[in-house]
Amino acid sequence: MIKIAICDDEAPTRAYLAALIRAQDCPCQIVEYASAGDCLAGCREIDLLFLDIELDRSGPDGMALAGQIREVSQAVQPVIIFVTGYERYVFDAFDVGAFQYLLKPVNEEKFARVFTRAIAQIKTAREKRGRALTFQSANTSKTILLDSIYYIESSDHKVVLHLKDGEFAYYAKIRDLELELQDQFFRIHKGYLVNLSYVAGYSKTEVALTNGEKLLLSKYKYQDFVKAYLHFLKRGAGL
């Protein structure tokens, strides 16, 4: 089930977009928001967001709302499609990782094409989040989902996986895992391989994670880390 939100201060526009969505061959759940504040509060579980730019002036406009959404620390960011009557915002949309930009009145055929691409992007991202590591030890094996790992730490000849529900250690080289997991993890220090999904913020000396922990960031890794993290966010947004 794909969870879709429509944020527009005009009820007829919300109704029209909802009708277009229901006309597509995709099982989905639709929620509607008339203001930026309500949308920001409820968008954490959303896969796809249709967002007007010029919302009610009593609150943030759509571009500002998109920026706030991107700043929220969460493993899954919604795919954002702007729906507006003005072309002048099109280049600003890329700054907040917009997937597409639709002009009002929305053309039904173009909507269908953009919607299909957005859903494909969401499904691909879901498949990647389902990836796992399988470890063999003696006569037993253990499988751990990548999305359950906050970061991996090198300790002597072992690596320690810092998980949502504890820790798991086994004999391995962090360098090998760095190569295997490079599309989702980044080596911020010789001793740490961090899951980019759980980065809450960073400075030139440390990376803060969504679980509250802070890890050392090597000065030699800083620039490459910033590039990798921004690229990761853009891929998650479908760019």
Side-chain angles (χ1 to χ4, degrees), residues 186-192 194 196 199 201-208 214-226 229:
F186 187 84
R187 185 87 170 269
I188 63 170
H189 183 276
K190 65 180 181 180
Y192 300 120
V194 68
L196 296 173
V199 172
Y202 59 88
S203 67
K204 289 192 174 182
T205 58
E206 64 183 18
V207 173
K214 294 181 178 179
L215 306 177
L216 287 175
L217 172 58
S218 167
K219 65 180 181 180
Y220 303 108
K221 296 282 190 177
Y222 174 76
Q223 291 187 341
D224 288 337
F225 163 73
V226 172
Y229 182 54

Side-chain angles (χ1 to χ4, degrees), residues 16-237:
Y16 178 62
L17 291 174
L20 289 179
I21 293 168
R22 293 190 179 98
Q24 311 306 311
D25 185 20
C26 177
C28 63
Q29 174 186 345
I30 304 172
V31 293
E32 298 180 18
Y33 301 105
S35 71
D38 289 344
C39 183
L40 185 62
C43 72
R44 287 181 177 271
E45 301 298 325
I46 295 301
D47 297 304
L48 175 58
L49 172 61
F50 289 92
L51 178 59
D52 186 21
I53 293 180
E54 296 205 341
L55 296 169
D56 189 325
R57 294 184 179 180
S58 62
D61 64 14
M63 199 66 69
L65 172 60
Q68 292 175 340
I69 290 172
R70 291 298 184 232
E71 290 173 359
V72 174
S73 299
Q74 53 192 41
V76 181
Q77 282 276 345
V79 170
I80 296 177
I81 297 176
F82 282 115
V83 183
T84 180
Y86 303 92
E87 292 187 27
R88 64 178 180 270
Y89 299 110
V90 64
F91 295 108
D92 294 332
F94 291 104
D95 292 334
V96 291
F99 179 81
Q100 187 57 271
Y101 190 98
L102 295 175
L103 287 174
K104 298 177 181 177
V106 177
N107 177 275
E108 293 184 22
E109 291 184 1
K110 183 170 183 180
F111 180 92
R113 292 195 300 269
V114 171
F115 185 86
T116 299
R117 287 177 46 231
I119 297 303
Q121 173 71 32
I122 291 166
K123 290 181 177 179
T124 298
R126 284 184 174 182
E127 290 173 0
K128 288 183 178 179
R129 291 197 298 272
R131 290 177 56 202
L133 286 173
T134 300
F135 311 98
Q136 201 74 33
S137 177
N139 296 321
T140 63
S141 64
K142 183 178 180 67
T143 299
I144 296 176
L145 291 174
L146 297 188
D147 273 2
S148 69
I149 306 171
Y150 284 115
Y151 67 98
I152 300 172
E153 181 180 8
S154 177
S155 178
D156 294 326
H157 298 294
K158 292 184 178 182
V159 292
V160 180
L161 309 186
H162 294 263
L163 310 169
K164 291 183 177 180
D165 58 354
E167 296 180 356
F168 177 74
Y170 73 107
Y171 288 99
K173 295 179 180 179
I174 196 170
R175 181 176 65 252
D176 295 335
L177 289 176
E178 178 184 7
L179 294 173
E180 181 178 354
L181 306 177
Q182 58 185 327
D183 60 338
Q184 185 174 342
F185 287 71
F186 187 84
R187 185 87 170 269
I188 63 170
H189 183 276
K190 65 180 181 180
Y192 300 120
L193 187 61
V194 68
N195 189 336
L196 296 173
S197 296
Y198 298 116
V199 172
Y202 59 88
S203 67
K204 289 192 174 182
T205 58
E206 64 183 18
V207 173
L209 302 181
T210 56
N211 67 348
E213 291 191 66
K214 294 181 178 179
L215 306 177
L216 287 175
L217 172 58
S218 167
K219 65 180 181 180
Y220 303 108
K221 296 282 190 177
Y222 174 76
Q223 291 187 341
D224 288 337
F225 163 73
V226 172
K227 291 178 182 178
Y229 182 54
L230 293 178
H231 180 66
F232 176 80
L233 292 179
K234 287 181 178 180
R235 282 195 292 113

